Amino acid sequence: MGISEIYRDDIIIFYADDDQDDRDTFTDALNEVYDASKLFTHEDGDDLLNALNNPPPRATIVFVDLNMPGKTGFEVIKEIKNSHNLQDLPIVVVSTSSDEKTIKATKELGANFYIPKPTNYNDLKKSINYALNIDWGTFKPQLYDFVYRYN
């Protein structure tokens, strides 16, 4: 059972990306596929970590870009996974970096899923919907199913 089935009315999504256009596009896409959610956007890793460490609200899932000023997505993943209070929080990377080395590094740090940042709006909607329907309690990805494929 995915997050959308378990927490339909209570899902709280945190999304960090330094690009305002990307935050706006993510917001629009999310609203089209999942209108019951509550989204809180953050312009960098420091802002995201501050919000995570000072609830309410308490995030249900985090989507994070990797290439941000200040704390990068890599640092954010590491801090979340090293935090006793946050370590079980699902982290979905959404990044333009899609080389194997980067993907492997995020998985090793503890990210739960990786979405290469789509250039197509419909692919973004599909990838968000897919991530929200993963059963994070049982999903233990291997490298082959760690990355969202647009097929």
Side-chain angles (χ1 to χ4, degrees):
M1 198 178 301
I3 283 180
S4 64
E5 295 165 4
I6 297 171
Y7 303 103
R8 186 69 191 171
D9 296 323
D10 298 327
I11 184 170
I12 297 175
I13 299 167
F14 281 21
Y15 175 55
D17 194 313
D18 63 311
D19 186 306
Q20 180 66 51
D21 289 338
D22 286 348
R23 288 193 309 271
D24 291 344
T25 302
F26 186 93
T27 300
D28 292 343
L30 176 66
N31 286 333
E32 285 189 37
V33 298
Y34 199 77
D35 62 351
S37 63
K38 296 176 187 115
L39 174 65
F40 295 86
T41 60
H42 306 277
E43 61 186 37
D44 59 42
D46 293 308
D47 185 40
L48 171 65
L49 287 167
N50 184 49
L52 287 170
N53 287 311
N54 295 289
R58 186 171 303 280
T60 309
I61 187 169
V62 170
F63 289 79
V64 64
D65 183 29
L66 293 178
N67 303 311
M68 298 182 287
K71 287 207 172 143
T72 66
F74 295 102
E75 293 168 306
V76 168
I77 296 166
K78 185 175 181 179
E79 285 195 36
I80 290 171
K81 293 304 176 177
N82 286 330
S83 168
H84 178 70
N85 294 329
L86 302 172
Q87 65 189 4
D88 294 328
L89 185 62
I91 302 171
V92 178
V93 174
V94 183
S95 178
T96 56
S97 302
S98 59
D99 61 282
E100 282 190 43
K101 182 179 177 184
T102 299
I103 291 168
K104 187 176 181 185
T106 61
K107 185 172 184 329
E108 288 173 354
L109 285 171
N112 300 88
F113 197 61
Y114 198 102
I115 299 172
K117 198 175 278 186
T119 55
N120 177 301
Y121 185 72
N122 284 329
D123 285 341
L124 177 61
K125 291 191 313 184
K126 289 177 192 174
S127 63
I128 292 169
N129 188 53
Y130 186 89
L132 292 176
N133 282 291
I134 291 175
D135 181 348
W136 295 107
T138 61
F139 183 66
K140 306 292 182 229
Q142 301 302 310
L143 204 49
Y144 70 88
D145 61 352
F146 177 68
V147 180
Y148 181 77
R149 307 290 179 205
Y150 295 102
N151 305 343

